[in-house]
Amino acid sequence: MAWRVNLIHSLFSVLVLSQAISAIDFGQSYGSSDPNLLSPRQYTEDDLDETSGHVSFHPEGATEGFKCHYPGLNSKDWEGCNEGADSRWCWIRQTEANKDESTRKAYTVTTDYDNYAPVGIQRHYYLDIAKHTIAPDGTPREARLFNGTYPGPLIEACWGDTVIVHVTNKLDDEGSVIHWHGLRQYWNNDQDGVALTQCPIARGSTWTYNFTMLQYGTTWYHSHYSVQYADGVLGPLIVHGPASAPYDVAYAWPHFMTDWVHRRAEEEFENEKSSKVRGSKADNILLDGMGRSPKAASAYDGEDIRSSYPITEILPGQKVRLRLINGAAGTSFIFSVDGHKIEVIANDLVPVKPIVVDSLLVAIGQRYDIIVQGLKDPSHSGNYWIRTQPADGCNTFRNGIFDSTDSTNPDPLDTRTGILHYDMPNATYFSLPYSTENNIEDYSCARISEQNSLRPVVPWTISKTPLNNLALSTFYPAHQTKADVKYGNYTHWLLRLDPLVEKEGGIKFHNPLFANFSTPSLLNLTRIGHGENDNVVRLPYSSNSSDFIHMVIDGSLLPVTKHADLDPDVIPRLAHPMHWHGSDVVLLAQSDQPFDPATSLDTWNYDNPPRRDTIMAPAGGYIAVAFKPDNPGVWLVHCHIAWHASAGLALQMVIDDGHSLAQGMLGDGKLQRLRDGCDEWKADLGRLVANKKEDSNV
């Protein structure tokens, strides 16, 4: 395997550097020196005249009729350069080099997108949240959906566009807030869509989100109102841009992996709070919103597979780009395609140097862009199973737990959830695949070596000296053993400090998070942190690109700490997919061994480590991450198991300069808009749920 990975890395370098241009980074640096790059784009598509001579093109894999537009770039001087398999690394380039320059300037996959991005257009989308009865696996239930579909509508944009989304809450019994997962929202904290940054959208009201796509790739949007997204309030978000490897065709609609609960998520959350049931559970597995009853797959043989399974079309020998999203509430998946290799080219909106694998762990909240290489001589039927196998230790289903190490525990559900279909004369849509599963040795939900092999195309070098005190940023995913009477009278999940650190520092940080819907932290920066359930970590803002914050999530205990010190908490041996809002984080270390501050730091990787926004913290081990504190605001860090987050396993980071930059950067207009939204909420459901403290509200 190693030689294949190294070969791909070499080919990637040759591909980029041997073109007619040298992929010179060019663009406008964003930040305080260039406020125009972060401002909403001036034009919509309707404002543009196709004959005006600006750069315009249809990106591969976009929906029919969709085009990227760059009104500020004249087509005489600039051109799209992404057309053709071998040009996927390029996005926009000059038609000729400037005088006295030897190379053409371009936006490519090697462009530092933290500092450069093209200027696109505005794109408006309209979403309604309402109740609908659906039966994606044959069992009807009332769901909460965007525009009546599950998953919700595709939001599609180009690198450098501004997306404006108008969300109307048509629910009769709940508010909602919508989070744009993985988007940094650089200097745009009020658009993050969580209870820390805004009050929920009142019933019958419309809230408009506005953000610019400085990143590109595959992500999703979902409700961040309690466990609402597990009721169906989610959808895909695709930003077209360059790629790190050649491919022939792409599909706009991603493969959306989810688990599914047959009753209201709020009702299922009662099991998370129950001392008898001990944990919320799912009833089925869906792919792209499609599932089947637990009856044998053979019952569908002879039927048109297109009505029962998501189908991915491919030609013999063709390279197809696919997009993967895990939007589950409680399940991480191992994704594979029988008889085919997977080439990974991006994770969590970060282009990576390509690697080839037989299968891929996709933790809750994670996304991947992959390429599947078509076989030259596929089977006669032309059909191969796509599998989404729940990962060992990262799933709980009503009728059993998936565990590949226990031969006495049969799989409770069929993991063959999709079909790769070859479009060729002999292939049929009326026969199920007879393919066999790839030889997968590791079904665990950490897969540490795999995660550490994902190297970003645009490198970061990390400072070994953080701006913060690491001891005060080392947190344990703990669980209470005694019911918290003031907060729902059940045992919560939480992120807490080591008890010895608390004692030495004279601080308290050992409670589940509770965010008050009616008083978002962003509007109360001077007051948050005084409440016992605020869970505030204050971190210094810095615009210096070499400054970093370090943080550890430790699923064990420090060597000097005894379990008795944690009373009344314990640290269960469970893995947690941790998600950071407001920043990409680099993975300094991921280990299944306990963290030891005396020895572990010597093993950390500071030279272009893996970079993403969601990372699995292994059971009994730890992860160490670093990020740039260059994005002022109040940002959430939480486990992306929906049941754990709602039970309190979260904290809020306040990144500020000590002079209220987090509020000052927004200006009076945005702050007043937030206050007006809170007034609407308080006049509606806010007065009824103000003292309801049964979940974290995130």
Side-chain angles (χ1 to χ4, degrees):
M1 179 64 73
W3 69 269
R4 297 191 65 173
V5 173
N6 291 335
L7 177 60
I8 290 173
H9 287 181
S10 299
L11 289 174
F12 169 78
S13 299
V14 171
L15 174 67
V16 172
L17 297 178
S18 64
Q19 305 298 317
I21 66 174
S22 299
I24 302 299
D25 289 341
F26 174 82
Q28 295 168 289
S29 178
Y30 67 76
S32 59
S33 61
D34 183 22
N36 293 328
L37 195 64
L38 291 178
S39 300
R41 301 317 196 226
Q42 183 177 358
Y43 302 104
T44 68
E45 195 164 33
D46 291 339
D47 296 327
L48 300 175
D49 182 350
E50 290 287 347
T51 64
S52 65
H54 68 274
V55 173
S56 174
F57 58 93
H58 174 78
E60 174 57 42
T63 55
E64 185 176 357
F66 181 93
K67 286 187 175 183
C68 295
H69 298 278
Y70 296 99
L73 300 180
N74 191 299
S75 58
K76 293 181 179 180
D77 303 319
W78 290 82
E79 63 186 0
C81 52
N82 193 249
E83 187 174 355
D86 292 334
S87 297
R88 303 302 183 200
W89 62 276
C90 189
W91 192 241
I92 312 169
R93 66 186 174 197
Q94 288 181 315
T95 54
E96 294 181 357
N98 293 334
K99 292 181 179 180
D100 303 323
E101 294 182 4
S102 59
T103 57
R104 290 182 282 175
K105 296 176 180 177
Y107 295 96
T108 76
V109 73
T110 63
T111 297
D112 180 3
Y113 53 87
D114 274 344
N115 292 296
Y116 304 96
V119 178
I121 63 171
Q122 290 183 18
R123 298 187 188 272
H124 288 257
Y125 289 89
Y126 296 84
L127 300 176
D128 294 340
I129 308 171
K131 295 178 182 178
H132 298 269
T133 298
I134 60 172
D137 62 352
T139 300
R141 64 151 292 190
E142 182 185 83
R144 284 148 169 74
L145 307 176
F146 285 117
N147 295 8
T149 66
Y150 182 77
L154 174 66
I155 292 180
E156 192 174 11
C158 298
W159 185 18
D161 284 346
T162 287
V163 172
I164 301 173
V165 188
H166 311 272
V167 181
T168 300
N169 179 13
K170 294 187 176 181
L171 299 173
D172 60 4
D173 57 355
E174 287 184 324
S176 192
V177 287
I178 308 306
H179 174 57
W180 315 95
H181 187 102
L183 298 184
R184 288 190 66 203
Q185 302 292 4
Y186 187 74
W187 285 63
N188 205 31
N189 186 211
D190 60 309
Q191 302 299 308
D192 196 39
V194 294
L196 307 183
T197 59
Q198 68 173 99
C199 289
I201 307 169
R203 295 175 297 178
S205 293
T206 297
W207 189 261
T208 298
Y209 295 92
N210 185 317
F211 42 86
T212 298
M213 300 302 191
L214 304 177
Q215 302 151 277
Y216 55 86
T218 302
T219 193
W220 58 307
Y221 59 97
H222 61 85
S223 170
H224 230 298
Y225 182 100
S226 299
V227 291
Q228 195 178 70
Y229 91 75
D231 278 327
V233 190
L234 51 77
L237 196 164
I238 304 303
V239 186
H240 297 288
S244 63
Y247 59 88
D248 297 306
V249 297
Y251 294 105
W253 190 266
H255 278 314
F256 221 124
M257 294 169 264
T258 61
D259 48 23
W260 188 244
V261 179
H262 285 161
R263 59 177 180 166
R264 280 283 314 279
E266 186 177 6
E267 296 173 10
E268 185 58 39
F269 185 57
E270 292 300 314
N271 285 334
E272 190 66 43
K273 300 189 288 186
S274 170
S275 60
K276 295 180 180 180
V277 180
R278 292 190 179 278
S280 298
K281 295 173 172 56
D283 293 293
N284 215 336
I285 304 167
L286 306 182
L287 183 64
D288 303 348
M290 297 178 67
R292 285 144 300 283
S293 66
K295 66 180 180 177
S298 59
Y300 298 97
D301 215 1
E303 299 179 6
D304 190 333
I305 58 176
R306 290 170 291 188
S307 64
S308 302
Y309 293 91
I311 306 298
T312 298
E313 303 278 356
I314 193 170
L315 295 172
Q318 189 179 52
K319 290 185 176 182
V320 175
R321 175 181 180 167
L322 302 179
R323 303 175 185 270
L324 309 180
I325 302 171
N326 185 342
T331 306
S332 292
F333 292 100
I334 307 294
F335 179 91
S336 65
V337 182
D338 287 0
H340 292 73
K341 299 287 186 181
I342 296 170
E343 185 177 8
V344 182
I345 61 171
N347 64 204
D348 295 4
L349 299 175
V350 178
V352 300
K353 298 177 181 179
I355 65 167
V356 174
V357 296
D358 295 311
S359 62
L360 188 62
L361 168 69
V362 190
I364 302 171
Q366 289 184 336
R367 295 87 62 214
Y368 285 95
D369 291 61
I370 65 171
I371 296 171
V372 175
Q373 171 75 59
L375 304 176
K376 293 183 178 179
D377 187 21
S379 66
H380 182 75
S381 70
N383 294 328
Y384 293 82
W385 286 116
I386 294 173
R387 300 176 191 259
T388 52
Q389 169 84 24
D392 290 354
C394 286
N395 70 89
T396 54
F397 288 89
R398 192 97 49 212
N399 56 346
I401 295 175
F402 286 85
D403 186 352
S404 66
T405 66
D406 185 356
S407 60
T408 65
N409 182 33
D411 291 346
L413 297 166
D414 194 341
T415 63
R416 298 171 295 182
T417 51
I419 295 174
L420 182 72
H421 174 78
Y422 279 83
D423 185 7
M424 56 186 193
N426 295 327
T428 176
Y429 288 110
F430 293 91
S431 173
L432 291 176
Y434 294 96
S435 57
T436 57
E437 187 175 9
N438 297 340
N439 182 22
I440 300 173
E441 297 179 356
D442 185 4
Y443 282 99
S444 72
C445 60
R447 299 183 81 161
I448 292 171
S449 61
E450 175 182 283
Q451 297 298 298
N452 279 279
S453 65
L454 299 166
R455 301 293 175 176
V457 171
V458 179
W460 282 9
T461 300
I462 314 304
S463 170
K464 294 183 179 181
T465 305
L467 295 182
N468 60 320
N469 182 339
L470 185 60
L472 297 178
S473 293
T474 298
F475 300 99
Y476 299 88
H479 195 266
Q480 296 172 328
T481 59
K482 297 179 182 178
D484 193 329
V485 177
K486 292 188 295 183
Y487 290 90
N489 197 28
Y490 68 96
T491 55
H492 290 254
W493 286 96
L494 62 146
L495 282 172
R496 64 160 298 158
L497 285 175
D498 184 277
L500 299 185
V501 172
E502 286 186 305
K503 183 177 180 181
E504 292 173 1
I507 55 178
K508 293 182 179 180
F509 201 109
H510 55 248
N511 289 302
L513 175 71
F514 170 72
N516 191 320
F517 278 145
S518 296
T519 56
S521 298
L522 185 57
L523 291 178
N524 296 274
L525 285 178
T526 59
R527 292 192 291 272
I528 59 170
H530 301 298
E532 63 181 6
N533 293 83
D534 287 353
N535 289 16
V536 172
V537 182
R538 295 190 181 274
L539 299 168
Y541 164 79
S542 175
S543 60
N544 189 331
S545 63
S546 63
D547 285 341
F548 284 87
I549 298 295
H550 292 186
M551 186 175 289
V552 170
I553 306 294
D554 186 5
S556 58
L557 273 179
L558 292 179
V560 295
T561 306
K562 299 180 177 61
H563 280 279
D565 297 327
L566 285 171
D567 185 64
D569 300 337
V570 295
I571 302 177
R573 190 176 176 82
L574 289 175
H576 297 274
M578 300 301 300
H579 175 51
W580 277 260
H581 289 220
S583 179
D584 287 338
V585 299
V586 298
L587 182 59
L588 299 176
Q590 183 184 39
S591 174
D592 56 8
Q593 299 301 308
F595 172 62
D596 185 343
T599 60
S600 296
L601 275 65
D602 293 336
T603 67
W604 290 5
N605 174 25
Y606 300 93
D607 184 15
N608 196 29
R611 187 166 75 246
R612 58 192 318 160
D613 56 66
T614 308
I615 298 176
M616 185 68 78
Y622 78 95
I623 54 173
V625 304
F627 58 91
K628 299 177 181 180
D630 61 353
N631 197 6
V634 184
W635 303 105
L636 190 64
V637 179
H638 65 98
C639 174
H640 221 293
I641 297 173
W643 322 113
H644 291 186
S646 279
L649 209 164
L651 58 81
Q652 48 184 327
M653 305 184 299
V654 176
I655 298 177
D656 196 36
D657 65 348
H659 302 285
S660 299
L661 176 63
Q663 282 188 344
M665 67 174 183
L666 298 177
D668 293 340
K670 284 191 172 185
L671 291 173
Q672 187 58 49
R673 179 172 175 267
L674 293 176
R675 295 187 189 101
D676 292 344
C678 286
D679 288 343
E680 282 192 3
W681 166 251
K682 292 172 187 177
D684 185 39
L685 291 174
R687 66 185 187 280
L688 302 177
V689 302
N691 296 315
K692 182 182 177 182
K693 298 180 178 179
E694 294 187 3
D695 70 32
S696 67
N697 290 337
V698 299

